Amino acid sequence: YYLWKSCKNFDIHSRVIGNKLTDGVRGATINAIGSSLPEFFIALFFLFIIKDINGFSSGLSTILGSAIFNILLIPAVVIFIVIKNNHDVIIRKRLILRDAGILLVSQIALLFFLQDGIISLVDSFYLFLLYIAYLLVLSKGGLFSKNNDKSKYNERRLSSWKNIVVSLISISILCLILVISCEILFTGKFPEVLNFLDFSGGFGFDNIMYIALIFAAAASSIPDLLISSLDAKKGDVDDALSNPLASNLFDICIAFGIPLFIYTIFNGDILLLDISSNVFDNIQSLIIIMISITLLFLISVMFSKKYRLLHTVFFVLLFISFIVSIFHLDFISKNIL
């Protein structure tokens, strides 16, 4: 709840900073960055607190779980709200293709980087370059719109920057608590002052990545859902749907890429082959599932002229299938993928 409130405050004031952005671009940049800050801090803290392989797999699992939530549940809710409120349901295919297309490129790149079993400084830098390329695509299509009220804008901008800094501090502290909580759920070991709670054994998962995939991913995706829902209620469909797609791109290239970049500078390459083979296979399986779901989302939208309730039903069913697959990753890795 507090994470959502902090992200909402960030969103309110970042809109002042980004009020010159054109339709669809604000959702793809300002909204996406604001709602993806939890993923950034969670990935950062997982890497530097849990460290090495477990930190990597947990941070990546948070990104992947959040990505599935973003591309299925958020569009499902947005489409339902838009139809319910009789807003424009015409699909802007160019915007969807722009955001989902480069998102697919980033997902495939991530899968490619994992193949040699080593995550290096160069890999994380390439992810960063992908996001820069996306910003260049946005700027080519007209990144900024005119703003005639410069004096009023300048007055509000300084105050907004101060509120953004406060929000960033709040979000980082809450994400730190979330990461520590995930570690407690996995190990069952509370800080010494809370040992009387006696939660020995944790939830019984054999790797913390599963805890991150379920709890951290869900918690970090709530801001995306609420920000897109607010846009949908206003009839701002372009921003409402650009937000989750661009958030996924930001999550992979920036929220995960930059913590990786910082970590590898100080600690060297991450050797994925040091983890058990089934965990490494499961990580790859999750990425392939994410790519498949992104393709299904893109196909279902590109072959329709309008958003329909059928899209909502389809996306919800896909999400349920994903939840079921989480508990059968070993089977999927060995027998299907």
Side-chain angles (χ1 to χ4, degrees):
Y1 171 77
Y2 285 111
L3 190 60
W4 164 62
K5 294 292 287 185
S6 298
C7 288
K8 184 179 179 181
N9 187 59
F10 180 96
D11 177 63
I12 291 171
H13 294 285
S14 64
R15 287 168 186 258
V16 176
I17 305 299
N19 74 335
K20 295 182 180 181
L21 299 177
T22 56
D23 292 340
V25 173
R26 180 171 59 84
T29 53
I30 296 295
N31 289 9
I33 293 170
S35 58
S36 293
L37 284 173
E39 285 89 345
F40 171 80
F41 285 114
I42 288 171
L44 184 69
F45 291 137
F46 265 129
L47 276 168
F48 281 90
I49 293 177
I50 310 297
K51 296 184 181 297
D52 297 330
I53 305 305
N54 285 331
F56 171 82
S57 61
S58 300
L60 182 57
S61 294
T62 301
I63 298 298
L64 297 179
S66 176
I68 302 300
F69 187 100
N70 286 353
I71 206 166
L72 293 180
L73 281 194
I74 293 179
V77 171
V78 165
I79 292 169
F80 178 79
I81 291 174
V82 167
I83 293 176
K84 182 181 177 182
N85 290 278
N86 297 315
H87 292 308
D88 182 16
V89 292
I90 300 296
I91 298 175
R92 270 74 172 179
K93 296 183 180 182
R94 182 181 62 83
L95 294 179
I96 298 294
L97 188 61
R98 177 197 71 190
D99 295 336
I102 199 164
L103 173 60
L104 276 171
V105 172
S106 70
Q107 293 171 346
I108 294 171
L110 180 61
L111 182 63
F112 175 76
F113 294 149
L114 292 178
Q115 297 308 302
D116 61 358
I118 301 173
I119 294 296
S120 66
L121 184 72
V122 175
D123 294 335
S124 58
F125 182 68
Y126 282 147
L127 290 175
F128 175 74
L129 288 181
L130 272 175
Y131 194 76
I132 296 300
Y134 175 61
L135 293 180
L136 290 175
V137 170
L138 291 181
S139 64
K140 186 177 181 180
L143 184 60
F144 297 103
S145 60
K146 293 182 179 179
N147 184 339
N148 297 321
D149 195 1
K150 290 185 178 181
S151 59
K152 185 177 180 180
Y153 170 70
N154 290 333
E155 289 176 5
R156 298 177 60 193
R157 185 171 57 179
L158 181 59
S159 175
S160 293
W161 275 117
K162 293 177 181 177
N163 280 279
I164 283 176
V165 171
V166 172
S167 298
L168 285 172
I169 295 172
S170 176
I171 291 169
S172 64
I173 293 172
L174 292 167
C175 288
L176 176 60
I177 294 172
L178 181 60
V179 168
I180 293 173
S181 299
C182 285
E183 187 177 21
I184 292 172
L185 290 175
F186 172 61
T187 63
K189 296 179 181 179
F190 283 98
E192 290 185 5
V193 294
L194 298 176
N195 278 345
F196 66 91
L197 293 173
D198 190 23
F199 186 50
S200 59
F203 272 13
F205 289 105
D206 60 358
N207 193 288
I208 193 174
M209 66 170 281
Y210 295 101
I211 296 290
L213 186 61
I214 297 171
F215 294 100
S220 63
S221 294
I222 296 302
D224 293 278
L225 174 62
L226 295 173
I227 289 174
S228 286
S229 297
L230 290 173
D231 281 334
K233 288 178 181 179
K234 298 173 185 175
D236 193 355
V237 185
D238 291 340
D239 280 330
L241 289 175
S242 290
N243 173 28
L245 291 173
S247 289
N248 283 359
L249 179 63
F250 183 89
D251 288 347
I252 292 173
C253 297
I254 303 297
F256 191 59
I258 288 183
L260 271 181
F261 186 81
I262 297 172
Y263 183 85
T264 50
I265 284 177
F266 292 101
N267 300 281
D269 296 346
I270 298 175
L271 303 179
L272 301 180
L273 297 179
D274 287 348
I275 62 178
S276 59
S277 59
N278 69 310
V279 175
F280 182 53
D281 290 342
N282 288 347
I283 290 174
Q284 294 186 87
S285 298
L286 281 172
I287 297 175
I288 293 173
I289 291 172
M290 177 179 64
I291 293 172
S292 302
I293 287 176
T294 303
L295 280 170
L296 288 172
F297 168 85
L298 185 58
I299 291 170
S300 68
V301 171
M302 295 306 291
F303 283 91
S304 301
K305 293 182 178 180
K306 296 181 178 181
Y307 295 110
R308 306 179 188 278
L309 286 178
L310 185 61
H311 285 107
T312 295
V313 175
F314 179 58
F315 296 154
V316 170
L317 289 176
L318 276 179
F319 186 76
I320 293 173
S321 300
F322 168 70
I323 295 298
V324 172
S325 71
I326 289 176
F327 299 97
H328 298 85
L329 277 178
D330 288 334
F331 175 82
I332 293 173
S333 299
K334 293 177 181 177
N335 299 284
I336 299 178
L337 301 178

